[in-house]
Amino acid sequence: DAGITQSPRHKVTETGTPVTLRCHQTENHRYMYWYRQDPGHGLRLIHYSYGVKDTDKGEVSDGYSVSRSKTEDFLLTLESATSSQTSVYFCAISLGGQGDSPLHFGNGTRLTVT
Amino acid sequence: DAKTTQPTSMDCAEGRAANLPCNHSTISGNEYVYWYRQIHSQGPQYIIHGLKNNETNEMASLIITEDRKSSTLILPHATLRDTAVYYCIVRPYGNNRLAFGKGNQVVVIP
């Protein structure tokens, strides 16, 4: 257990509604990440954060925003959910650094947009 | 684009060593090789990583060739619980992100 809690674990929502997923860590790690996983695409990075209020885009950031107001929480928001955002979302944390710091993942949030 | 090549799938016998290959012929001198696995419906689990020396931990061993163009993850005594998708990843220099490919579906057979 890497001290990561994702909430909710499952959510069903309707197209056009806003949705916020939460990632909470107890490890005080600097870096936090949001990935999505879809059949045929593997894991793809949405956004990541390298500190409080410091965030950057990943490869599939369109339609998503993030916020990190404190070290332990990283929020992923879908402003207006679409069916293409139906996916499993994983949060990850790491200490950071140039390449010698593993990422540790949460158990995911399964989001269905109807 | 994926920087690693792995088999799409492989079977391993329970109780035997499982050797999982990975090619990363374009790896740069300061890029690390990481291994993760994902058991169905769970988040990816970190296994091991290395730069150029062989590494061992409680889960596995990582053997990196001298030219660093390929590596092998060794699970010393495979169990049914080792059935998972295994990802070999090269971590870009100066980049704190991991790019996952499609992985290798490993099935441990009794």
Side-chain angles (χ1 to χ4, degrees), chain B residues 65-86:
Chain B
T65 58
E66 191 169 346
D67 63 7
R68 302 186 72 239
K69 292 185 177 181
S70 66
S71 61
T72 301
L73 180 74
I74 301 173
L75 308 176
H77 304 285
T79 71
L80 299 180
R81 295 182 181 180
D82 291 323
T83 292
V85 178
Y86 286 77

Side-chain angles (χ1 to χ4, degrees), chain B residues 42-100:
Chain B
Q42 298 181 18
Q45 178 187 22
Y46 166 75
I47 302 174
I48 198 167
H49 74 282
L51 184 61
K52 52 186 177 181
N53 297 322
N54 297 338
E55 302 287 344
T56 296
N57 62 21
E58 66 278 4
M59 289 183 67
S61 295
L62 174 61
I63 308 298
I64 303 174
T65 58
E66 191 169 346
D67 63 7
R68 302 186 72 239
K69 292 185 177 181
S70 66
S71 61
T72 301
L73 180 74
I74 301 173
L75 308 176
H77 304 285
T79 71
L80 299 180
R81 295 182 181 180
D82 291 323
T83 292
V85 178
Y86 286 77
Y87 297 95
C88 170
I89 302 163
V90 169
R91 188 168 186 173
Y93 177 77
N95 192 326
N96 284 292
R97 306 175 290 182
L98 289 179
F100 286 76

